[in-house]
Structures are given as C-alpha cells and as structure tokens.
Amino acid sequence: MKKKVRFFRSVNFKIALTFILILLVSIEIIGAYFIRGLERSTIENFKTSMDTQAETLASTLGNHLGNQEDMDNSQQNNEIQRVLDNSDSNDVLEMEVVDERNNIRATTNVREQYMVGNKNDDPYIDDFSTKSLVTIDEATSDRVQINVQPIQSAGDTVVGALYIKSDLEQQYREINNIALIFISSSLIAVFISMVIAILVARSITQPIGEMREQALRIAKGDYSRKVPVKGNDELGELATTFNQLGKRIAETQEAMESERNRLNSVLSHMTDGVVATDRRGKVIIINEMALSLLNIEREQAVGQSILTLFDIEENYTLRKILENPEEILLERSSADQNLENVLLRVDFSMIRRESGFISGLVAVLHDVTEQEKNEQERREFVSNVSHELRTPLTSTRSYIEALSEGAWQDQDIAPKFLEVTLNETDRMIRMINDLLNLSRMDNGNYQLQLEYINFKELVNFVLDRFDMMVDEQEKKYHIYREFTKRELWVEVDTDRMIQVVDNLMNNAVKYSPDGGTITVRLVETHNNIILSVADQGIGIPPNDINKVFDRFYRVDKARARKQGGTGLGLAISKEVVKAHGGNVWVESREHVGSTFYISLPYEPYEEDWWE
C-alpha cells in the first residue's frame, strides 16, 4: 500500500510555492510593459496637446495678423508678441510668428528678438503648411516637438504661420524617473524572491543532485554506491526506485556484456563478412572480414548507407532490398594492388522484432573470387579445346569428303589432300598429348627425371638446332648469344627443359620479323641462373601480358594457328619450370618486342662433388 505524504512535506507544496514566487516576478515584468505603454501614452498625449495648442493659438493670431488696416506694423507686432507671451508655458521652448511675406513678426526667443522684421530663414516655415514632427535640437541634442500651423484671416486667407518648438525631452525624463523607481522596487522584489526561492528549491535540488551524481556513476559503470534516502516524500520514494533501477541496470549490463563478447567472438572468427544496419540502412556493425573484403576502414564504414558502402545506389534502393532481398554480386578492388579485383556475393536478411517491425538489415559477404575464376577458366578451357579441336576436325573432314567424292583418283590433288589431313591429325595428337601432360602436372602425377647437366651446353644444343633450321624457314633470323663464361651445372629433367627452351625459341621465331635478331642471354646470380630469350616481334599488349601463360592464349591467333601452334606451349613451360622450383615471366613493349625469362635455383658445385 502506497504511503500517503502530508501536504506540507510534499513536493507539490514546494513546487506550488516556487510557482507563486515566479508569479510575483512575472507581475514585475508586466509592470515593465506597463511603463512602456505609459511612455507611448504620455508622448502621444503631449503631441496631441501641442497640436491643439498650435491650432488654438493660430486661430487667435489670425484676428490680430489679419487687421493690418487698423494699426501700423509696430503696434501689430506688439499685440502679436503679447499674445505669444501670454500663451507661453514650461513645455514650450520657442514660438515664432511669420507673415505672408516670410517676415518674422514676433518671437519668444529673447536671443532672436533682433530678427523681428527680418526675413525668416527657418526651413520648417517655408511653404506655410501644417507640420507636426519630432526632431533633435542642434544646440542641445535634445528631442523636441516642432509644430507649424498656418494663420488664416476671417476669409480663410493664409496671412502667416505659427512656429512652436516644445520640449519633448522633458517628457522622456519624467518617464525615466518613473522607470527608475519601478526598477529599484523590482530589484528589491527580485532579491527577496531569489532568497526565498533558493531556500525553498534547496530542499528539492539537493536529493536531485545526489541522484544526478549516482546517474553519472552508473553511466561510468559504477553500480556499487546508492542514493541516500532522506525523507518520506516523493523524492524519497524516487531515490529508492533509483537504487532499484541501478541494481537492475547492473544485472542487465552484465548480461549484455556477456552476449556482446560472444557476438564479437563469433563475428571476429567468421570467414565471411557481416554488415548490420539500422532501419534507415545506416551501418552499425561490421566485422573485420567485411572490412578486409570491402577494403575500407571501420571509421568510414560505420554510419554510412549500406547502398553507398556497396556502391549499388544506381541500381537498388533500400525499399527494393527489403521487399526482395535477393543475392547481389559485387566487384571491389583488392587491398593488394598486385592482385585482381575481388568478387563478392552478398546475401541479405531482414532483422525483425517480435511485433514484425523491420529494425534493420544483415548482409553476409562471401568471397567467390576463386570460385568464379575457376568456373570462368573451366568454361574458357572447354570453349578453347572445343574450338581448337573443331578447326582441324573440320579441315580433315572436308578433305576426306573431297577424297571420297573422287579426288583420290587425281594424282596431283590426292597427295596434297592426304598431306593436309595427316598434318591436321598430327596437330590434334600434339594438342591432346600436351593436354594430357598438363593434366598430369596439375594432378601431381608427373615425375621429373632429374640429372645434373651443364645447362649452358643444353641451351647451346637447342640453339644450334635452330641455327641449322634457319635455311629451311620462310623468313630469316639471326640468333645472338650472351652467355656467362662459367660452367653452370644444375639438376633438371633434360627432356622437359629442352622442351621449354624449344617453346621459347619457337615463339621468338614465329613473332620475329624477317631478318630479325633473337637475343639469348644466360647469366648467373647468387642463388639462380636466368635464361632470357628476346625477340623483335609485335610485342604483347599491356592488358594481356598476364595472360600469355594461360592455356590457348595467343598474341596473334591467325599467325600461330597457321604455323601449327596449339596455344599450350607457354602453359606447359610454366608448369615445367614451377616443377623445378623456378619461375618464368615476360617483359614486353608493343611493336618493339618481348623478352621471356626463366629463373632456376642454382648452387655452384664444388670440385670434390665429382671425386
């Protein structure tokens, strides 16, 4: 049962008292607005009074200024001066009468009495029109009220003008005096109210301050201390509830921390990337694998739209992904600039609450680069093999059909047809043998027959054979040799290494121009021997230089196929060199030539090896 709190000890009473004090202060503020209204009213009444006085005095002066036949100017001026003197008051600073000839007839300004009878030079009395305006007195810098009232005779004829300058600044001084009195009393009231408010508010703010300190400690993770309960009022009950809340938060925080640690452990050790967003599609969680796959920093990813993160803004919207969370393929640049782009498959899943409300998205990223690359290579390999076998088969079938239709009886044509058929058959056999050799190397079933040989003599053996064949070739070429003088003994498979050098030389001859030079260099480094074959051919385009060792790749497909190439020579050479623990690469410039390099591990032999 809830305990009832006495009224005079309740927070309601304290708050009510505070509101009463605030109300008193508000009354003071209303008084300030009243003074402002008083100022406006006083100034307006003063202006109205001066306008009325100007009209009345102008009417009186009309009787004197219009009767010029009854008296001379001197008498008339004295009469007008008497009327002005009788109408003078404390609010009026100066009055002046001007006739229709713009001559001054009378003035209350003692210092300007000498101007009577002279022309008026005051710009305010220039057109004898009614004026009522506020301006600044140039002599005193005070605000003054200027009234100009035309003087009319009995026949409504304008016979002059009345000029009155009144002291408006005095009205503002009186209003300021009232304001000072009000401000003084208001300051006293504010001071008294402040003292009372502080005394009353202290009893409320002290426990609230203690609860604030406790809230700050809870925010920092300190749940050990409690708020002291100092009364039985609502604040006391709030302090008790606050302590219970701190205990519950500590228990919840411990459970959440445990769950967070488990979640972080799972996310950190996942082999797939995970990205989670809020309901607006902003990234809130991203694991290390996703950062690595997307090649981005965590600070850049968190808070960014998932559409921008995946660079799919042009083709997808958040609504489209929510309605149809289909699989998406992304191509992103690799963190290693030497590697090709990374291909990612993204699967989306919605985060739903028990109520069915969608609170975010989860995107799982799978690296399918190798899978897609292998699949693409398999498709290209099947396509290339089919294409390479179809060409000789089609040619062979055509010639056999021609022979079966009677060409075999022609002694001139039949031998040529049979020769072409035999060449195409040999070409298919070579291709199949090359494919079988590559298959054995890929499966690791090929055994190298290693033996120590003089590598320089092996290279010379191959080059000598090409020197002897130069006369049989349609185009001429010259082989230039740059070999080290040392004997280079290495452990290799002789037949396979001759095949590698032969492949490189065949390519150099095929792509060299007629009369070109093929430069073969053999050098020794600390741990390797390097063989290079340079030609002066068409070169390799920069975009294709990484593909020359792919199966069935040709720089000039028409020329290679015409000369009987299978497109597998460099691929076999690469596998053979790798099997020997070496490396093969190429450097090329278009229309200048290409240089193929072979590097093999080498250890200089000692004389006692052979003893």
Side-chain angles (χ1 to χ4, degrees):
M1 182 177 178
K2 185 177 179 181
K3 186 176 179 180
K4 187 175 180 180
V5 181
R6 295 180 61 183
F7 176 74
F8 293 102
R9 298 180 62 183
S10 67
V11 176
N12 290 333
F13 172 75
K14 298 172 184 177
I15 293 177
L17 181 60
T18 304
F19 282 168
I20 292 174
L21 296 176
I22 294 174
L23 181 61
L24 293 176
V25 175
S26 300
I27 293 175
E28 295 294 328
I29 296 175
I30 294 172
Y33 280 101
F34 171 75
I35 291 177
R36 181 63 178 172
L38 177 64
E39 177 184 338
R40 288 196 298 267
S41 176
T42 301
I43 297 302
E44 290 297 326
N45 290 338
F46 179 80
K47 291 179 180 180
T48 303
S49 174
M50 294 310 302
D51 291 344
T52 304
Q53 183 177 351
E55 292 177 1
T56 304
L57 187 58
S59 177
T60 302
L61 291 172
N63 297 329
H64 296 281
L65 191 60
N67 298 327
Q68 297 181 0
E69 297 177 356
D70 300 337
M71 59 185 71
D72 57 16
N73 286 340
S74 177
Q75 293 177 339
Q76 194 175 38
N77 291 345
N78 292 334
E79 188 65 24
I80 294 173
Q81 185 66 45
R82 184 184 61 80
V83 173
L84 293 181
D85 292 339
N86 292 336
S87 301
D88 199 4
S89 64
N90 293 332
D91 295 330
V92 177
L93 297 176
E94 179 183 355
M95 289 188 291
E96 187 176 290
V97 175
V98 178
D99 60 16
E100 72 275 10
R101 296 184 183 86
N102 206 22
N103 293 324
I104 299 175
R105 303 298 296 274
T107 178
T108 59
N109 191 340
V110 178
R111 290 174 298 179
E112 294 185 359
Q113 287 293 332
Y114 69 92
M115 293 292 295
V116 175
N118 296 327
K119 290 289 184 179
N120 169 57
D121 57 357
D122 195 321
Y124 293 108
I125 316 175
D126 54 359
D127 56 357
F128 295 91
S129 61
T130 302
K131 295 185 180 68
S132 178
L133 55 94
V134 176
T135 185
I136 302 298
D137 191 342
E138 295 180 356
T140 61
S141 299
D142 291 339
R143 285 168 286 192
V144 294
Q145 169 78 17
I146 302 296
N147 288 92
V148 177
Q149 186 69 31
I151 301 174
Q152 297 177 342
S153 63
D156 294 334
T157 302
V158 176
V159 295
L162 170 64
Y163 169 82
I164 300 177
K165 179 167 70 174
S166 53
D167 189 3
L168 186 61
E169 191 69 30
Q170 181 62 29
Q171 305 300 317
Y172 283 103
R173 293 193 190 98
E174 293 176 359
I175 294 172
N176 289 338
N177 292 334
I178 297 174
L180 289 175
I181 295 173
F182 180 78
I183 290 173
S184 300
S185 59
S186 298
L187 290 176
I188 295 173
V190 167
F191 177 76
I192 296 173
S193 300
M194 186 180 300
V195 173
I196 297 174
I198 291 173
L199 294 176
V200 175
R202 185 172 182 179
S203 62
I204 300 175
T205 58
Q206 186 174 0
I208 294 177
E210 293 174 351
M211 283 184 277
R212 175 181 174 275
E213 294 295 328
Q214 178 64 9
L216 292 175
R217 287 193 291 268
I218 291 176
K220 296 177 181 178
D222 181 9
Y223 306 102
S224 59
R225 300 184 62 180
K226 294 184 177 181
V227 179
V229 181
K230 296 182 179 180
N232 297 323
D233 57 5
E234 290 90 338
L235 288 176
E237 293 182 359
L238 179 60
T240 302
T241 305
F242 202 90
N243 291 331
Q244 295 175 354
L245 176 63
K247 183 179 179 180
R248 292 287 183 87
I249 291 176
E251 295 173 352
T252 304
Q253 182 69 19
E254 184 178 356
M256 290 177 61
E257 192 66 28
S258 177
E259 291 295 328
R260 185 182 295 109
N261 290 336
R262 282 196 289 268
L263 178 61
N264 289 338
S265 178
V266 171
L267 290 176
S268 299
H269 293 86
M270 286 185 65
T271 57
D272 294 326
V274 177
V275 180
T277 74
D278 58 15
R279 62 187 181 88
R280 295 183 178 86
K282 303 295 183 181
V283 176
I284 55 176
I285 297 175
I286 182 168
N287 68 349
E288 293 296 331
M289 181 56 69
L291 293 173
S292 176
L293 293 175
L294 295 172
N295 192 19
I296 193 173
E297 299 294 333
R298 186 180 299 276
E299 293 75 13
Q300 297 174 327
V302 175
Q304 187 177 161
S305 171
I306 194 170
L307 301 178
T308 305
L309 182 66
F310 292 161
D311 195 18
I312 56 175
E313 296 172 295
E314 295 183 0
N315 301 322
Y316 293 89
T317 62
L318 188 61
R319 177 179 293 275
K320 183 178 179 180
I321 294 177
L322 291 173
E323 293 176 351
N324 185 20
E326 61 182 11
E327 174 186 298
I328 296 177
L329 286 178
L330 301 177
E331 187 175 2
R332 300 299 291 262
S333 59
S334 174
D336 189 348
Q337 296 181 355
N338 296 323
L339 299 179
E340 296 180 353
N341 291 344
V342 178
L343 192 63
L344 306 176
R345 188 181 75 241
V346 185
D347 296 312
F348 291 98
S349 178
M350 289 179 288
I351 304 175
R352 292 181 181 272
R353 298 179 182 173
E354 295 181 358
S355 61
F357 177 77
I358 299 175
S359 58
L361 274 174
V362 173
V364 181
L365 289 77
H366 310 276
D367 187 355
V368 295
T369 307
E370 283 299 323
Q371 178 183 341
E372 289 295 323
K373 182 179 179 182
N374 293 336
E375 186 65 21
Q376 181 64 24
E377 288 179 352
R378 184 189 65 80
R379 289 193 295 266
E380 290 180 355
F381 178 76
V382 173
S383 175
N384 288 330
V385 169
S386 302
H387 179 74
E388 294 295 337
L389 290 175
R390 183 180 60 185
T391 302
L393 284 173
T394 301
S395 177
T396 301
R397 184 176 184 275
S398 299
Y399 284 106
I400 292 176
E401 284 181 352
L403 290 172
S404 66
E405 291 175 358
W408 64 273
Q409 298 177 354
D410 191 328
Q411 296 182 358
D412 295 330
I413 297 178
K416 295 180 180 179
F417 281 14
L418 290 173
E419 183 182 359
V420 172
T421 303
L422 183 61
N423 290 337
E424 294 295 338
T425 304
D426 290 340
R427 179 183 169 194
M428 285 189 289
I429 292 174
R430 289 197 307 273
M431 185 185 305
I432 293 172
N433 288 333
D434 289 343
L435 289 173
L436 289 174
N437 288 334
L438 281 173
S439 178
R440 293 192 190 99
M441 293 178 186
D442 291 339
N443 296 329
N445 297 330
Y446 183 80
Q447 297 294 328
L448 295 176
Q449 304 298 321
L450 300 177
E451 58 179 333
Y452 273 100
I453 64 167
N454 188 334
F455 195 75
K456 186 163 67 172
E457 291 183 359
L458 181 144
V459 176
N460 275 322
F461 170 75
V462 177
L463 298 184
D464 289 342
R465 182 156 49 86
F466 276 89
D467 282 335
M468 288 186 295
M469 292 189 302
V470 67
D471 295 332
E472 301 174 4
Q473 300 288 340
E474 294 181 1
K475 59 182 178 182
K476 305 303 178 183
Y477 56 85
H478 173 69
I479 299 177
Y480 180 71
R481 312 182 191 199
E482 291 183 5
F483 290 175
T484 178
K485 295 181 180 181
R486 288 173 54 89
E487 301 296 328
L488 304 176
W489 291 86
V490 293
E491 190 176 20
V492 296
D493 186 323
T494 305
D495 292 337
R496 288 300 174 189
M497 197 53 62
I498 289 175
Q499 182 184 8
V500 171
V501 180
D502 190 72
N503 282 334
L504 296 183
M505 287 300 300
N506 273 322
N507 286 335
V509 171
K510 288 178 185 178
Y511 295 106
S512 289
D514 192 13
T517 299
I518 300 173
T519 302
V520 181
R521 293 182 178 89
L522 183 62
V523 297
E524 170 193 2
T525 65
H526 182 65
N527 295 317
N528 299 91
I529 59 172
I530 298 176
L531 173 68
S532 65
V533 179
D535 60 49
Q536 298 174 337
I538 60 176
I540 304 171
N543 294 334
D544 296 338
I545 199 166
N546 294 326
K547 302 177 182 179
V548 293
F549 296 101
D550 292 347
R551 297 166 190 186
F552 297 108
Y553 174 82
R554 296 185 179 93
V555 177
D556 188 342
K557 296 183 179 180
R559 180 187 299 184
R561 189 175 287 112
K562 181 179 178 181
Q563 296 179 356
T566 64
L568 298 172
L570 289 178
I572 294 175
S573 299
K574 179 181 179 182
E575 297 297 331
V576 170
V577 173
K578 286 176 60 179
H580 283 82
N583 192 17
V584 58
W585 70 96
V586 61
E587 295 177 357
S588 180
R589 291 175 57 191
E590 282 192 278
H591 312 299
V592 175
S594 303
T595 303
F596 284 84
Y597 295 89
I598 294 175
S599 172
L600 293 173
Y602 169 67
E603 183 178 354
Y605 74 91
E606 302 294 337
E607 293 293 339
D608 56 0
W609 286 12
W610 307 99
E611 294 179 359

